[in-house]
């Protein structure tokens, strides 16, 4: 509306308020131009012709006067009879203006004798060095333009009203369409800021707002997910920390009250305490590892290494399970399994996957590991025959701190960090991870690493 108002004010100023001075300036310039041209041409051959041409142009009257004010041009029959002179007062004014002027010409306005109009007068001196000088006198009536201005004024009133009404309508429309959706989204975003994850972001107004609403909805979803994970983590961690602590405390009490004197029992109880402490230590290590490894992943120490050999090395750490817990672990290799990778990190990924295989195998304790070299990549996979993973969980198991509820059968303090580490490590090596699993059907975890070997 302000914009429309400014345009209207400019129009009013130009068309109504200043139109008279505009008109006057225009006319003055026009007449000065003609006068100067004639003064310039005086004494040349074209002067006569030009004088005639200009004399007949509309709205201007040209006279040439002699020193007495008698008209020497135009001289037609009527003039000869009357030999008119420029009226005394007017001629004096004319001469005065010319004499006081700094240049050879002058333009001034003067009231008309009988009519209520102004005339613009040009005065110039015609000199050619020989004979007496003459005066060039041009005048034109400054025609009143009041009636035109009135017409314009009426038009402008109508235009102003239309412009204001239109701009008011437009601003209402725009504020509806632009501001309202933004206000609504702001309100929802405030709700989100207060922790309400069920807020809805209004869509359907225009593309940009729809995009914003989509982005915010996505952010809400992510926030909700990480909030749930955070809650789960606290629940899990407190539970996992609490259990070993309870065990440690009760065994300590037992040593104090009962088994202190009995070396065999005491030994057993002390061992349990040590085991539980180890378990607690592992849990804390896992959590520290995650932050440490994730910062280390930014600078991988890439070296040539054989993935198969690495797997065998890692497996040695699990020999206890083979020998004492009845695990049957098969490792098969096919093709060249050399890759360029950070040995420590890759072995950590392999370790985590084998560790999960062992932790989640209950009755069928077979594990089959395949390390296959393909043309551009090497693929590692481990198959177990444990409880498997439900479809609804498959998307989440790679998330940090996510721990499946039902499949947790072995009495192991998991932190939900293992798989997220595997994923971070493999992705940092520009590889891929995946899992095929169904409840009751066991699981097959795999990753691939690009060879990255220089030719
Ligand atoms: P953690 O094992 O410490 O709970 P992980 O990140 O290693 O954490 O695993 C996340 C979840 O994925 C586990 O809680 C479990 O539910 C599921 N999972 C991982 N590996 C297996 C597997 N081999 N068989 C069945 N479920 C698994």
């Amino acid at each position: 509306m302000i914009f429309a108002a400014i345009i209207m004010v400019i129009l009013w100023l130009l068309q109504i308020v200043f139109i008279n001075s505009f008109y006057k300036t225009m006319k003055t310039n026009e007449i000065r131009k003609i006068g100067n041209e004639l003064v310039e041409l005086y004494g040349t051959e074209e002067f006569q012709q030009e004088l005639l041409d200009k004399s007949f142009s509309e709205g201007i009257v040209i006279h040439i006067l002699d020193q007495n004010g008698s008209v020497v041009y135009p001289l037609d029959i009527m003039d000869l009879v009357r030999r008119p002179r420029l009226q005394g007062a007017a001629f004096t004014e004319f001469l005065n203006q010319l004499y006081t002027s700094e240049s050879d010409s002058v333009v001034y306005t003067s009231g008309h004798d009988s009519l209520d109009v102004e005339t613009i007068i040009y005065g110039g001196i015609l000199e050619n060095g020989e004979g007496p000088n003459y005066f060039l006198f041009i005048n034109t009536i400054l025609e009143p333009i009041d009636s035109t201005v009135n017409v314009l004024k009426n038009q402008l009133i109508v235009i102003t009203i239309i412009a204001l009404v239109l701009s008011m309508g437009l601003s209402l429309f725009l504020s509806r369409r632009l501001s309202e959706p933004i206000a609504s989204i702001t309100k929802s975003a405030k709700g989100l800021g207060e922790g309400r994850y069920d807020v809805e972001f209004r869509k359907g107004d225009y593309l940009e707002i729809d995009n914003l609403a989509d982005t915010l909805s996505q952010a809400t979803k992510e926030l909700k997910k990480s909030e749930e994970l955070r809650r789960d983590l606290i629940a899990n961690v407190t539970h996992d920390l609490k259990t070993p602590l309870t065990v440690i405390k009760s065994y300590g009490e037992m040593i104090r009250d009962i088994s202190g004197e009995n070396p065999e029992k005491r030994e057993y109880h002390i061992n349990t305490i040590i085991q539980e402490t180890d378990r607690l230590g592992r849990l804390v290590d896992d959590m520290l590892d995650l932050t440490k490894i994730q910062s280390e992943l930014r600078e991988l120490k890439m070296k040539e290494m054989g993935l198969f050999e690495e797997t065998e090395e890692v497996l040695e750490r699990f020999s206890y399970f083979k020998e004492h817990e009845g695990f049957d672990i098969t490792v098969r290799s096919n093709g060249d399994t050399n890759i360029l990778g950070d040995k420590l990190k890759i072995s950590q990924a392999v370790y985590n996957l084998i560790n999960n295989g062992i932790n989640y195998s209950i009755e069928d304790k077979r594990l089959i590991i395949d390390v296959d070299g393909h043309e551009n990549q090497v693929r590692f996979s481990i198959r177990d025959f444990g409880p498997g993973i439900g479809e609804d969980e498959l998307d989440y198991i790679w998330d940090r701190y996510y721990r499946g509820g039902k499949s947790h059968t072995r009495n192991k303090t998991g932190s939900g960090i293992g798989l997220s580490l595997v994923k971070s490590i493999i992705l940092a090596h520009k590889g891929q991870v995946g899992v095929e699993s169904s409840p009751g059907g066991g699981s097959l975890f795999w990753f691939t690493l690009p060879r990255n070997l220089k030719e």
Side-chain angles (χ1 to χ4, degrees), residues 286 352-353 356-361 384 386-389 393 396-399 401-408 412-421 437 442-443 445:
D286 262 7
N352 286 2
L353 289 182
N356 277 355
I358 285 182
N359 282 331
Y360 295 100
S361 292
D384 66 54
I389 303 162
E393 284 192 284
Y396 301 109
I397 54 170
W398 303 96
D399 289 344
Y401 305 131
Y402 179 83
R403 292 180 63 201
K406 291 150 260 161
S407 53
H408 231 58
K412 150 79 165 70
T413 37
S415 53
I417 286 169
L419 285 182
S420 97
L421 265 187
S437 184
S443 320
F445 280 86

mmCIF file of all heavy atoms in Angstrom, residues 286 352-353 356-361 384 386-389 393 396-399 401-408 412-421 437 442-443 445, ligand 1:
data_model
loop_
_atom_site.group_PDB
_atom_site.id
_atom_site.type_symbol
_atom_site.label_atom_id
_atom_site.label_comp_id
_atom_site.label_asym_id
_atom_site.label_seq_id
_atom_site.Cartn_x
_atom_site.Cartn_y
_atom_site.Cartn_z
ATOM 1 N N ASP A 286 33.462 -49.698 25.569
ATOM 2 C CA ASP A 286 32.640 -49.604 24.355
ATOM 3 C C ASP A 286 32.195 -48.171 24.121
ATOM 4 O O ASP A 286 32.264 -47.638 23.019
ATOM 5 C CB ASP A 286 31.382 -50.464 24.520
ATOM 6 C CG ASP A 286 31.571 -51.813 23.861
ATOM 7 O OD1 ASP A 286 32.704 -52.076 23.419
ATOM 8 O OD2 ASP A 286 30.597 -52.584 23.814
ATOM 9 N N ASN A 352 33.671 -57.017 16.038
ATOM 10 C CA ASN A 352 32.305 -56.743 16.499
ATOM 11 C C ASN A 352 31.294 -57.684 15.875
ATOM 12 O O ASN A 352 30.373 -58.153 16.529
ATOM 13 C CB ASN A 352 31.916 -55.296 16.184
ATOM 14 C CG ASN A 352 32.600 -54.323 17.118
ATOM 15 O OD1 ASN A 352 33.384 -54.735 17.970
ATOM 16 N ND2 ASN A 352 32.313 -53.037 16.954
ATOM 17 N N LEU A 353 31.472 -57.981 14.569
ATOM 18 C CA LEU A 353 30.509 -58.855 13.899
ATOM 19 C C LEU A 353 30.605 -60.283 14.439
ATOM 20 O O LEU A 353 29.579 -60.940 14.683
ATOM 21 C CB LEU A 353 30.729 -58.824 12.381
ATOM 22 C CG LEU A 353 30.314 -57.513 11.700
ATOM 23 C CD1 LEU A 353 30.532 -57.589 10.199
ATOM 24 C CD2 LEU A 353 28.841 -57.193 11.986
ATOM 25 N N ASN A 356 29.093 -60.394 17.906
ATOM 26 C CA ASN A 356 27.631 -60.453 17.882
ATOM 27 C C ASN A 356 27.158 -61.853 17.528
ATOM 28 O O ASN A 356 26.215 -62.369 18.116
ATOM 29 C CB ASN A 356 27.065 -59.460 16.855
ATOM 30 C CG ASN A 356 26.964 -58.063 17.451
ATOM 31 O OD1 ASN A 356 27.222 -57.884 18.638
ATOM 32 N ND2 ASN A 356 26.606 -57.097 16.621
ATOM 33 N N GLY A 357 27.844 -62.467 16.521
ATOM 34 C CA GLY A 357 27.472 -63.822 16.112
ATOM 35 C C GLY A 357 27.521 -64.766 17.310
ATOM 36 O O GLY A 357 26.620 -65.598 17.493
ATOM 37 N N ILE A 358 28.536 -64.622 18.107
ATOM 38 C CA ILE A 358 28.676 -65.498 19.275
ATOM 39 C C ILE A 358 27.633 -65.165 20.335
ATOM 40 O O ILE A 358 26.952 -66.036 20.875
ATOM 41 C CB ILE A 358 30.113 -65.393 19.826
ATOM 42 C CG1 ILE A 358 31.029 -66.179 18.889
ATOM 43 C CG2 ILE A 358 30.178 -65.903 21.257
ATOM 44 C CD1 ILE A 358 32.465 -66.226 19.284
ATOM 45 N N ASN A 359 27.443 -63.837 20.550
ATOM 46 C CA ASN A 359 26.484 -63.435 21.585
ATOM 47 C C ASN A 359 25.048 -63.815 21.274
ATOM 48 O O ASN A 359 24.261 -64.047 22.169
ATOM 49 C CB ASN A 359 26.546 -61.918 21.792
ATOM 50 C CG ASN A 359 27.751 -61.547 22.613
ATOM 51 O OD1 ASN A 359 28.198 -62.337 23.438
ATOM 52 N ND2 ASN A 359 28.293 -60.363 22.374
ATOM 53 N N TYR A 360 24.730 -63.822 19.977
ATOM 54 C CA TYR A 360 23.324 -64.073 19.640
ATOM 55 C C TYR A 360 23.071 -65.498 19.162
ATOM 56 O O TYR A 360 22.026 -65.772 18.600
ATOM 57 C CB TYR A 360 22.832 -63.029 18.620
ATOM 58 C CG TYR A 360 22.844 -61.637 19.224
ATOM 59 C CD1 TYR A 360 23.875 -60.747 18.966
ATOM 60 C CD2 TYR A 360 21.830 -61.253 20.106
ATOM 61 C CE1 TYR A 360 23.907 -59.504 19.558
ATOM 62 C CE2 TYR A 360 21.854 -60.000 20.700
ATOM 63 C CZ TYR A 360 22.900 -59.139 20.422
ATOM 64 O OH TYR A 360 22.920 -57.910 21.024
ATOM 65 N N SER A 361 24.054 -66.394 19.341
ATOM 66 C CA SER A 361 23.805 -67.805 19.004
ATOM 67 C C SER A 361 23.447 -68.522 20.302
ATOM 68 O O SER A 361 24.184 -68.401 21.290
ATOM 69 C CB SER A 361 25.061 -68.444 18.417
ATOM 70 O OG SER A 361 25.330 -67.877 17.158
ATOM 71 N N ASP A 384 25.020 -66.568 11.136
ATOM 72 C CA ASP A 384 24.796 -67.327 12.368
ATOM 73 C C ASP A 384 23.431 -67.978 12.301
ATOM 74 O O ASP A 384 22.649 -67.706 11.382
ATOM 75 C CB ASP A 384 24.934 -66.413 13.599
ATOM 76 C CG ASP A 384 23.862 -65.357 13.656
ATOM 77 O OD1 ASP A 384 22.670 -65.699 13.597
ATOM 78 O OD2 ASP A 384 24.222 -64.144 13.761
ATOM 79 N N GLY A 386 21.261 -68.012 14.927
ATOM 80 C CA GLY A 386 20.613 -67.527 16.144
ATOM 81 C C GLY A 386 19.164 -67.118 15.903
ATOM 82 O O GLY A 386 18.545 -67.559 14.929
ATOM 83 N N PRO A 387 18.645 -66.256 16.744
ATOM 84 C CA PRO A 387 17.226 -65.914 16.705
ATOM 85 C C PRO A 387 16.825 -65.019 15.519
ATOM 86 O O PRO A 387 15.645 -64.901 15.213
ATOM 87 C CB PRO A 387 17.007 -65.162 18.015
ATOM 88 C CG PRO A 387 18.346 -64.600 18.346
ATOM 89 C CD PRO A 387 19.347 -65.580 17.851
ATOM 90 N N GLY A 388 17.811 -64.389 14.869
ATOM 91 C CA GLY A 388 17.458 -63.503 13.759
ATOM 92 C C GLY A 388 16.890 -62.178 14.262
ATOM 93 O O GLY A 388 16.760 -61.961 15.459
ATOM 94 N N ILE A 389 16.551 -61.353 13.304
ATOM 95 C CA ILE A 389 16.093 -60.000 13.654
ATOM 96 C C ILE A 389 14.784 -59.720 12.930
ATOM 97 O O ILE A 389 14.651 -60.013 11.736
ATOM 98 C CB ILE A 389 17.148 -58.945 13.230
ATOM 99 C CG1 ILE A 389 18.501 -59.259 13.879
ATOM 100 C CG2 ILE A 389 16.712 -57.537 13.605
ATOM 101 C CD1 ILE A 389 19.658 -58.575 13.204
ATOM 102 N N GLU A 393 12.924 -54.204 13.140
ATOM 103 C CA GLU A 393 14.136 -53.771 13.836
ATOM 104 C C GLU A 393 15.292 -53.531 12.876
ATOM 105 O O GLU A 393 16.257 -52.854 13.221
ATOM 106 C CB GLU A 393 14.563 -54.837 14.851
ATOM 107 C CG GLU A 393 13.716 -54.845 16.114
ATOM 108 C CD GLU A 393 14.376 -55.717 17.171
ATOM 109 O OE1 GLU A 393 14.303 -56.958 17.067
ATOM 110 O OE2 GLU A 393 14.991 -55.127 18.067
ATOM 111 N N TYR A 396 16.970 -50.241 12.409
ATOM 112 C CA TYR A 396 17.502 -49.520 13.569
ATOM 113 C C TYR A 396 18.784 -50.099 14.140
ATOM 114 O O TYR A 396 19.503 -49.407 14.843
ATOM 115 C CB TYR A 396 16.451 -49.481 14.681
ATOM 116 C CG TYR A 396 15.187 -48.806 14.247
ATOM 117 C CD1 TYR A 396 14.025 -49.536 14.032
ATOM 118 C CD2 TYR A 396 15.164 -47.428 14.042
ATOM 119 C CE1 TYR A 396 12.863 -48.907 13.618
ATOM 120 C CE2 TYR A 396 14.006 -46.798 13.627
ATOM 121 C CZ TYR A 396 12.860 -47.534 13.415
ATOM 122 O OH TYR A 396 11.720 -46.920 13.004
ATOM 123 N N ILE A 397 19.043 -51.401 13.851
ATOM 124 C CA ILE A 397 20.160 -52.039 14.563
ATOM 125 C C ILE A 397 21.496 -51.343 14.333
ATOM 126 O O ILE A 397 22.388 -51.442 15.148
ATOM 127 C CB ILE A 397 20.293 -53.533 14.196
ATOM 128 C CG1 ILE A 397 20.384 -53.669 12.686
ATOM 129 C CG2 ILE A 397 19.150 -54.339 14.762
ATOM 130 C CD1 ILE A 397 20.751 -55.077 12.264
ATOM 131 N N TRP A 398 21.601 -50.583 13.209
ATOM 132 C CA TRP A 398 22.878 -49.899 12.929
ATOM 133 C C TRP A 398 22.987 -48.585 13.680
ATOM 134 O O TRP A 398 24.023 -47.939 13.653
ATOM 135 C CB TRP A 398 23.037 -49.626 11.429
ATOM 136 C CG TRP A 398 22.958 -50.871 10.596
ATOM 137 C CD1 TRP A 398 21.869 -51.358 9.951
ATOM 138 C CD2 TRP A 398 24.010 -51.806 10.338
ATOM 139 N NE1 TRP A 398 22.158 -52.528 9.300
ATOM 140 C CE2 TRP A 398 23.484 -52.822 9.523
ATOM 141 C CE3 TRP A 398 25.355 -51.869 10.711
ATOM 142 C CZ2 TRP A 398 24.240 -53.897 9.076
ATOM 143 C CZ3 TRP A 398 26.101 -52.947 10.266
ATOM 144 C CH2 TRP A 398 25.547 -53.939 9.461
ATOM 145 N N ASP A 399 21.884 -48.177 14.304
ATOM 146 C CA ASP A 399 21.915 -46.898 15.018
ATOM 147 C C ASP A 399 22.697 -47.031 16.302
ATOM 148 O O ASP A 399 22.675 -48.068 16.959
ATOM 149 C CB ASP A 399 20.491 -46.436 15.362
ATOM 150 C CG ASP A 399 19.755 -46.001 14.118
ATOM 151 O OD1 ASP A 399 20.438 -45.782 13.102
ATOM 152 O OD2 ASP A 399 18.521 -45.903 14.173
ATOM 153 N N TYR A 401 23.513 -46.908 20.012
ATOM 154 C CA TYR A 401 22.773 -47.194 21.255
ATOM 155 C C TYR A 401 21.523 -48.033 21.040
ATOM 156 O O TYR A 401 20.786 -48.286 21.978
ATOM 157 C CB TYR A 401 22.355 -45.903 22.001
ATOM 158 C CG TYR A 401 23.505 -44.996 22.285
ATOM 159 C CD1 TYR A 401 23.448 -43.641 21.974
ATOM 160 C CD2 TYR A 401 24.664 -45.501 22.855
ATOM 161 C CE1 TYR A 401 24.522 -42.808 22.225
ATOM 162 C CE2 TYR A 401 25.739 -44.672 23.115
ATOM 163 C CZ TYR A 401 25.667 -43.329 22.792
ATOM 164 O OH TYR A 401 26.719 -42.514 23.034
ATOM 165 N N TYR A 402 21.272 -48.458 19.794
ATOM 166 C CA TYR A 402 20.070 -49.267 19.624
ATOM 167 C C TYR A 402 20.350 -50.707 20.051
ATOM 168 O O TYR A 402 21.315 -51.325 19.631
ATOM 169 C CB TYR A 402 19.579 -49.266 18.168
ATOM 170 C CG TYR A 402 18.341 -50.128 18.032
ATOM 171 C CD1 TYR A 402 17.096 -49.603 18.349
ATOM 172 C CD2 TYR A 402 18.428 -51.474 17.690
ATOM 173 C CE1 TYR A 402 15.962 -50.398 18.313
ATOM 174 C CE2 TYR A 402 17.313 -52.276 17.653
ATOM 175 C CZ TYR A 402 16.083 -51.735 17.962
ATOM 176 O OH TYR A 402 14.979 -52.517 17.936
ATOM 177 N N ARG A 403 19.480 -51.213 20.885
ATOM 178 C CA ARG A 403 19.615 -52.608 21.293
ATOM 179 C C ARG A 403 18.284 -53.284 21.116
ATOM 180 O O ARG A 403 17.268 -52.829 21.608
ATOM 181 C CB ARG A 403 20.023 -52.697 22.756
ATOM 182 C CG ARG A 403 21.418 -52.183 22.997
ATOM 183 C CD ARG A 403 21.752 -52.288 24.436
ATOM 184 N NE ARG A 403 21.739 -53.687 24.856
ATOM 185 C CZ ARG A 403 21.604 -54.051 26.122
ATOM 186 N NH1 ARG A 403 21.449 -53.157 27.056
ATOM 187 N NH2 ARG A 403 21.613 -55.318 26.443
ATOM 188 N N GLY A 404 18.328 -54.385 20.378
ATOM 189 C CA GLY A 404 17.092 -55.133 20.172
ATOM 190 C C GLY A 404 16.639 -55.689 21.513
ATOM 191 O O GLY A 404 17.458 -56.061 22.349
ATOM 192 N N GLY A 405 15.305 -55.731 21.691
ATOM 193 C CA GLY A 405 14.812 -56.176 22.983
ATOM 194 C C GLY A 405 14.769 -57.684 23.109
ATOM 195 O O GLY A 405 15.406 -58.284 23.979
ATOM 196 N N LYS A 406 14.072 -58.320 22.121
ATOM 197 C CA LYS A 406 13.733 -59.735 22.298
ATOM 198 C C LYS A 406 14.905 -60.693 22.098
ATOM 199 O O LYS A 406 15.021 -61.704 22.754
ATOM 200 C CB LYS A 406 12.605 -60.103 21.318
ATOM 201 C CG LYS A 406 11.309 -59.459 21.685
ATOM 202 C CD LYS A 406 10.456 -59.176 20.478
ATOM 203 C CE LYS A 406 10.570 -57.716 20.052
ATOM 204 N NZ LYS A 406 10.161 -57.429 18.730
ATOM 205 N N SER A 407 15.792 -60.324 21.156
ATOM 206 C CA SER A 407 16.823 -61.284 20.784
ATOM 207 C C SER A 407 17.966 -61.361 21.795
ATOM 208 O O SER A 407 18.910 -62.106 21.619
ATOM 209 C CB SER A 407 17.385 -60.931 19.407
ATOM 210 O OG SER A 407 17.787 -59.591 19.417
ATOM 211 N N HIS A 408 17.866 -60.546 22.824
ATOM 212 C CA HIS A 408 18.953 -60.493 23.793
ATOM 213 C C HIS A 408 18.914 -61.702 24.714
ATOM 214 O O HIS A 408 18.334 -61.678 25.777
ATOM 215 C CB HIS A 408 18.771 -59.224 24.630
ATOM 216 C CG HIS A 408 20.017 -58.421 24.671
ATOM 217 N ND1 HIS A 408 20.622 -57.945 23.552
ATOM 218 C CD2 HIS A 408 20.764 -58.010 25.710
ATOM 219 C CE1 HIS A 408 21.676 -57.253 23.886
ATOM 220 N NE2 HIS A 408 21.795 -57.286 25.201
ATOM 221 N N LYS A 412 24.587 -60.978 28.309
ATOM 222 C CA LYS A 412 25.737 -60.155 27.927
ATOM 223 C C LYS A 412 25.354 -58.690 28.068
ATOM 224 O O LYS A 412 24.243 -58.301 27.722
ATOM 225 C CB LYS A 412 26.103 -60.530 26.479
ATOM 226 C CG LYS A 412 26.721 -59.449 25.615
ATOM 227 C CD LYS A 412 28.170 -59.254 25.907
ATOM 228 C CE LYS A 412 28.990 -58.489 24.952
ATOM 229 N NZ LYS A 412 28.958 -57.175 24.683
ATOM 230 N N THR A 413 26.253 -57.914 28.609
ATOM 231 C CA THR A 413 25.951 -56.500 28.707
ATOM 232 C C THR A 413 26.278 -55.818 27.392
ATOM 233 O O THR A 413 27.434 -55.488 27.124
ATOM 234 C CB THR A 413 26.788 -55.847 29.817
ATOM 235 O OG1 THR A 413 28.067 -56.450 29.793
ATOM 236 C CG2 THR A 413 26.145 -56.011 31.154
ATOM 237 N N GLY A 414 25.298 -55.650 26.567
ATOM 238 C CA GLY A 414 25.508 -54.963 25.289
ATOM 239 C C GLY A 414 25.298 -53.473 25.500
ATOM 240 O O GLY A 414 24.647 -53.048 26.442
ATOM 241 N N SER A 415 25.877 -52.709 24.621
ATOM 242 C CA SER A 415 25.702 -51.268 24.750
ATOM 243 C C SER A 415 25.000 -50.685 23.532
ATOM 244 O O SER A 415 24.682 -49.512 23.483
ATOM 245 C CB SER A 415 27.063 -50.609 24.901
ATOM 246 O OG SER A 415 27.891 -51.026 23.836
ATOM 247 N N GLY A 416 24.756 -51.550 22.530
ATOM 248 C CA GLY A 416 24.103 -51.040 21.317
ATOM 249 C C GLY A 416 25.051 -50.216 20.477
ATOM 250 O O GLY A 416 24.647 -49.434 19.629
ATOM 251 N N ILE A 417 26.347 -50.394 20.706
ATOM 252 C CA ILE A 417 27.324 -49.569 20.005
ATOM 253 C C ILE A 417 28.024 -50.348 18.898
ATOM 254 O O ILE A 417 28.388 -49.805 17.862
ATOM 255 C CB ILE A 417 28.365 -49.035 21.024
ATOM 256 C CG1 ILE A 417 27.718 -47.938 21.846
ATOM 257 C CG2 ILE A 417 29.615 -48.509 20.342
ATOM 258 C CD1 ILE A 417 28.536 -47.524 23.028
ATOM 259 N N GLY A 418 28.144 -51.685 19.101
ATOM 260 C CA GLY A 418 28.917 -52.530 18.182
ATOM 261 C C GLY A 418 28.607 -52.293 16.716
ATOM 262 O O GLY A 418 29.518 -51.986 15.926
ATOM 263 N N LEU A 419 27.351 -52.406 16.324
ATOM 264 C CA LEU A 419 27.026 -52.307 14.904
ATOM 265 C C LEU A 419 27.203 -50.889 14.378
ATOM 266 O O LEU A 419 27.597 -50.702 13.226
ATOM 267 C CB LEU A 419 25.600 -52.787 14.652
ATOM 268 C CG LEU A 419 25.405 -54.305 14.706
ATOM 269 C CD1 LEU A 419 23.964 -54.668 14.382
ATOM 270 C CD2 LEU A 419 26.334 -55.004 13.722
ATOM 271 N N SER A 420 26.922 -49.905 15.245
ATOM 272 C CA SER A 420 27.082 -48.536 14.746
ATOM 273 C C SER A 420 28.553 -48.253 14.468
ATOM 274 O O SER A 420 28.890 -47.532 13.525
ATOM 275 C CB SER A 420 26.496 -47.522 15.736
ATOM 276 O OG SER A 420 27.481 -46.989 16.563
ATOM 277 N N LEU A 421 29.424 -48.890 15.269
ATOM 278 C CA LEU A 421 30.860 -48.747 14.998
ATOM 279 C C LEU A 421 31.239 -49.411 13.683
ATOM 280 O O LEU A 421 31.976 -48.850 12.879
ATOM 281 C CB LEU A 421 31.665 -49.390 16.127
ATOM 282 C CG LEU A 421 32.123 -48.454 17.224
ATOM 283 C CD1 LEU A 421 33.042 -49.185 18.186
ATOM 284 C CD2 LEU A 421 32.881 -47.280 16.597
ATOM 285 N N SER A 437 18.214 -61.038 7.423
ATOM 286 C CA SER A 437 17.839 -61.766 8.624
ATOM 287 C C SER A 437 16.329 -61.867 8.730
ATOM 288 O O SER A 437 15.608 -61.013 8.220
ATOM 289 C CB SER A 437 18.388 -61.039 9.860
ATOM 290 O OG SER A 437 18.109 -61.787 11.004
ATOM 291 N N GLY A 442 18.096 -67.051 11.680
ATOM 292 C CA GLY A 442 19.497 -66.656 11.774
ATOM 293 C C GLY A 442 19.743 -65.344 11.050
ATOM 294 O O GLY A 442 18.805 -64.752 10.480
ATOM 295 N N SER A 443 20.991 -64.889 11.068
ATOM 296 C CA SER A 443 21.296 -63.605 10.415
ATOM 297 C C SER A 443 22.543 -63.737 9.572
ATOM 298 O O SER A 443 23.409 -64.568 9.836
ATOM 299 C CB SER A 443 21.570 -62.513 11.450
ATOM 300 O OG SER A 443 20.698 -62.623 12.530
ATOM 301 N N PHE A 445 25.289 -61.039 8.386
ATOM 302 C CA PHE A 445 25.801 -59.671 8.325
ATOM 303 C C PHE A 445 26.931 -59.638 7.305
ATOM 304 O O PHE A 445 27.738 -60.558 7.243
ATOM 305 C CB PHE A 445 26.355 -59.250 9.692
ATOM 306 C CG PHE A 445 25.275 -58.832 10.650
ATOM 307 C CD1 PHE A 445 24.611 -59.788 11.426
ATOM 308 C CD2 PHE A 445 24.912 -57.501 10.763
ATOM 309 C CE1 PHE A 445 23.611 -59.405 12.289
ATOM 310 C CE2 PHE A 445 23.906 -57.120 11.638
ATOM 311 C CZ PHE A 445 23.253 -58.067 12.411
HETATM 312 P P1 LIG B 1 24.680 -54.864 21.236
HETATM 313 O O1 LIG B 1 24.989 -56.187 20.655
HETATM 314 O O2 LIG B 1 25.706 -54.378 22.185
HETATM 315 O O3 LIG B 1 23.295 -54.763 21.786
HETATM 316 P P2 LIG B 1 25.009 -53.958 18.540
HETATM 317 O O4 LIG B 1 25.091 -52.599 17.957
HETATM 318 O O5 LIG B 1 26.144 -54.875 18.309
HETATM 319 O O6 LIG B 1 24.722 -53.780 20.083
HETATM 320 O O7 LIG B 1 23.697 -54.633 18.003
HETATM 321 C C1 LIG B 1 22.506 -53.934 17.985
HETATM 322 C C2 LIG B 1 21.338 -54.886 18.039
HETATM 323 O O8 LIG B 1 21.271 -55.628 16.817
HETATM 324 C C3 LIG B 1 21.440 -55.896 19.109
HETATM 325 O O9 LIG B 1 20.927 -55.419 20.331
HETATM 326 C C4 LIG B 1 20.611 -57.029 18.565
HETATM 327 O O10 LIG B 1 19.256 -56.832 18.834
HETATM 328 C C5 LIG B 1 20.812 -56.931 17.072
HETATM 329 N N1 LIG B 1 21.821 -57.897 16.589
HETATM 330 C C6 LIG B 1 23.104 -57.643 16.303
HETATM 331 N N2 LIG B 1 23.733 -58.748 15.836
HETATM 332 C C7 LIG B 1 22.825 -59.745 15.844
HETATM 333 C C8 LIG B 1 22.838 -61.141 15.470
HETATM 334 N N3 LIG B 1 23.948 -61.724 15.004
HETATM 335 N N4 LIG B 1 21.704 -61.851 15.616
HETATM 336 C C9 LIG B 1 20.588 -61.257 16.086
HETATM 337 N N5 LIG B 1 20.493 -59.964 16.434
HETATM 338 C C10 LIG B 1 21.592 -59.210 16.330
#
